[in-house]
Amino acid sequence: MGLPFSAFNKFGLPGLSSVTTGQVYDRHFKDRGTGNFADFHIAYVDFCQYFNTVMPGQDFDTPGLEDIKKFYENTWEHLKDEVEKKKKFIEFMEANIHEASVDDSLFIMAGLAAPAAAIIAKRSSESIPQVKKFKLQYIPNVVFVPLCTLIAIMGATAVQMNKKSKKPTS
């Protein structure tokens, strides 16, 4: 997790690392009651949702429920000092949150196959009576092919999101 932030700092975005550590902690944990695991877990899920929406174009895989529970029971619960809690949370965050891995092969295959499939589907629709009523032959190829490609890529994204949501977290 530290690598993208250090890269941002090298490109002249000052203070980004402090935004992702200090301000995130202050926003989601400092003033919230996290006296029991349920409250801590809700704050952590809220933090993860915020983090994935703030970072442009990136998603992050977060630790599973068991890892969060272990951190809470072994570390968070026993700390009383707010500064120490912040330090331990940042250490946990840096050690357990990683960039989400994406399999680009599905997108590449959809992007390469969709234009040819769109032309074949359009030509074959002229001879199929059930599809002929949609009058696809009147749509110009410069509109139809990109539209079909976009739909194919959106479908590939949906399949990938579905696989990701079914994958058990560690």
Side-chain angles (χ1 to χ4, degrees):
M1 187 175 112
L3 180 62
F5 302 128
S6 62
F8 284 144
N9 287 335
K10 286 180 185 174
F11 289 121
L13 296 175
L16 188 61
S17 63
S18 63
V19 168
T20 57
T21 54
Q23 290 181 356
V24 168
Y25 174 84
D26 292 343
R27 179 184 183 133
H28 295 282
F29 291 94
K30 184 177 182 181
D31 298 328
R32 260 187 153 155
T34 55
N36 59 26
F37 179 70
D39 293 337
F40 178 79
H41 190 252
I42 289 170
Y44 194 86
V45 168
D46 187 34
F47 150 72
C48 291
Q49 179 183 8
Y50 171 77
F51 199 67
N52 277 335
T53 57
V54 167
M55 295 306 291
Q58 288 182 316
D59 284 329
F60 293 88
D61 291 329
T62 57
L65 181 63
E66 286 302 315
D67 294 333
I68 298 169
K69 195 169 191 172
K70 283 178 191 173
F71 169 74
Y72 177 79
E73 291 171 352
N74 297 338
T75 308
W76 188 268
E77 215 172 25
H78 305 295
L79 297 173
K80 302 298 178 207
D81 182 34
E82 202 61 38
V83 175
E84 190 65 25
K85 275 187 173 183
K86 183 176 183 176
K87 181 181 164 208
K88 291 295 183 183
F89 175 74
I90 290 169
E91 288 172 6
F92 176 75
M93 189 172 75
E94 288 175 346
N96 291 292
I97 296 179
H98 309 284
E99 256 186 79
S101 58
V102 178
D103 183 19
D104 291 335
S105 63
L106 189 60
F107 297 109
I108 292 170
M109 288 190 310
L112 291 175
I119 295 297
I120 292 170
K122 186 175 177 184
R123 291 227 174 113
S124 65
S125 71
E126 295 172 5
S127 60
I128 301 172
Q130 292 84 356
V131 182
K132 199 172 190 176
K133 66 182 176 185
F134 292 112
K135 304 200 186 303
L136 295 177
Q137 67 271 17
Y138 294 126
I139 302 173
N141 285 346
V142 295
V143 174
F144 188 72
V145 173
L147 182 66
C148 289
T149 305
L150 180 66
I151 291 170
I153 291 174
M154 287 172 42
T157 304
V159 166
Q160 189 133 39
M161 288 173 57
N162 192 22
K163 283 182 185 177
K164 196 171 188 176
S165 67
K166 288 183 180 181
K167 184 172 40 171
T169 57
S170 55

